[in-house]
Amino acid sequence: SPVYLRNSLRLELIPFIKERYNENIISTLARTASVLRKDSIFLDSLAPKAFKEAGVIKGKGIVDMDRMKLLKMPEAISSRVFLMACRGLEKAPELFGAHVDAFFDALRSKKPNASYSLGSGLCIRREYGRIRVEQKSGIKKAQGFELPLLIPGITRIPSAGAVIIAKISRKPLSAASFSSRDRAYFDYDEIPKPVRARSFRPGDRMTPSGMSGTKKLKAIFIDSKTPALQRQRTPVICAGDAVVWLAGIRRSDGYMLNQATKRVLMLELRFS
C-alpha cells in the first residue's frame, strides 16, 4: 500500500524518476549507498579514539567534553563523538539530525553559556570551555551545607563531593608554598574560630588577595569560568562573618602570614 512512505517511494517516486530523469536511478542509488557505507565504516572506526581524546568526563546521566578539542576535530568525527556520548547515557535517546545540529550550535556558540533542549529530557549545554550532554534525571543540584572544619583533621562534605584537610605547622612556610589553588595558608592564632565550610549564597562577598575592595563571589566565579553546576559544590570557607577562601579558586587578603606568625593553618581542598 502506498499509504506508507517507504512503499510510496518504491512504488511511485522511483518509477517516476526512472521514467522522467534517469533510467538507471536504482543502480546509481545503490552505488552511492555503497560508497557512503564504506566511508561511514571508516569514520566510525576513528570515533572511539577521538572520544578518548575529547577530555570526556562521565557522571550519572551526564557526559562532559572539552570544547576546544572538539572544535579541532573534523565535523564528521566530532559529530560521532557527540553520538557516542549520547549513547553512553543511562537511557540512550533516539537520535536525529536535529540533535547533531543542536550540538554544533552549542559548540560554535559565541556565548560562554548556552543550553539547547532536545526533548525526551535530553539537553546540550555549553559552559565556558566544556560541552555537556545531560539527561534531566541525572542532574542533581548540590544540597546546601554548613559545618565547622576539623582543625587539625579531615572534614568531608558529601553533598559537595569534597574533602577539606586541615593541618597546623609551627614554622611559617616559604612563599613558594602558596602557589597552589587547592591550598590556602592562614595565621592560625589570628584567624577567628571556628572556621566553617558552607555552600555559596547569593550576595556573598570577599576581599580577594591583592585587592583593596570587596568583590561578589558570583563575579569571581564568572572570572574563573566556574560552571554554574560546580558553584554550589565549591566550599566557601568562613572565619567569623568573613569569607576567607573560595576553595580552589581565590583566597582573601585576611589573616596572611607575616613575621609575627607562630603557627600556620594549612587548608587543602580535594574532590572525591
Side-chain angles (χ1 to χ4, degrees), residues 29-266:
L29 291 175
R31 283 197 305 272
T32 302
S34 177
V35 171
L36 293 176
R37 187 179 301 111
K38 292 173 184 176
D39 289 349
S40 182
I41 290 171
F42 172 69
L43 293 170
D44 287 344
S45 72
L46 301 179
K49 183 174 182 292
F51 186 83
K52 293 179 180 179
E53 294 172 348
V56 176
I57 301 172
K58 292 184 179 180
K60 187 176 181 181
I62 296 175
V63 180
D64 194 82
M65 298 168 284
D66 187 299
R67 176 174 174 265
M68 291 307 299
K69 290 181 179 179
L70 289 169
L71 283 171
K72 291 177 181 178
M73 297 177 184
E75 291 186 2
I77 299 299
S78 60
S79 63
R80 283 168 165 78
V81 170
F82 162 69
L83 294 174
M84 288 182 67
C86 292
R87 290 166 185 150
L89 294 169
E90 188 176 9
K91 296 180 181 179
E94 188 174 6
L95 300 166
F96 300 98
H99 293 91
V100 178
D101 291 342
F103 162 71
F104 282 117
D105 287 343
L107 194 62
R108 301 179 187 127
S109 175
K110 295 182 179 180
K111 297 179 180 179
N113 292 280
S115 63
Y116 301 81
S117 178
L118 303 181
S120 303
L122 190 68
C123 182
I124 300 174
R125 297 182 186 275
R126 178 192 165 186
E127 291 189 341
Y128 299 107
R130 307 293 296 181
I131 296 292
R132 173 179 292 149
V133 182
E134 57 189 27
Q135 289 173 318
K136 290 182 181 178
S137 59
I139 306 169
K140 292 184 178 179
K141 291 185 177 180
Q143 297 177 353
F145 58 89
E146 181 169 5
L147 63 168
L149 296 184
L150 297 175
I151 301 175
I154 298 174
T155 304
R156 301 185 185 280
I157 312 172
S159 63
V163 173
I164 302 290
I165 300 170
K167 295 180 181 180
I168 299 173
S169 171
R170 290 193 173 274
K171 293 183 179 181
L173 303 176
S174 67
S177 301
F178 305 159
S179 59
S180 173
R181 293 181 63 182
D182 295 333
R183 287 186 180 183
Y185 299 85
F186 303 90
D187 188 315
Y188 177 72
D189 295 300
E190 293 295 325
I191 194 169
K193 283 55 161 207
V195 181
R196 310 182 322 280
R198 64 167 174 80
S199 50
F200 165 71
R201 298 170 185 170
D204 275 346
R205 305 183 75 95
M206 68 182 287
T207 301
S209 176
M211 290 182 59
S212 57
T214 64
K215 189 171 185 176
K216 285 188 175 182
L217 297 195
K218 181 179 179 180
I220 297 175
F221 277 133
I222 293 172
D223 291 345
S224 63
K225 298 183 178 180
T226 302
L229 199 64
Q230 182 61 32
R231 296 176 190 180
Q232 282 300 118
R233 291 183 167 87
T234 299
V236 177
I237 308 302
C238 300
D241 296 328
V243 175
V244 296
W245 186 35
L246 188 55
I249 298 176
R250 194 76 183 265
R251 188 205 191 284
S252 79
D253 71 341
Y255 315 108
M256 293 283 197
L257 305 187
N258 54 59
Q259 294 296 325
T261 299
K262 295 180 180 179
R263 291 188 292 178
V264 176
L265 169 63
M266 185 278 289

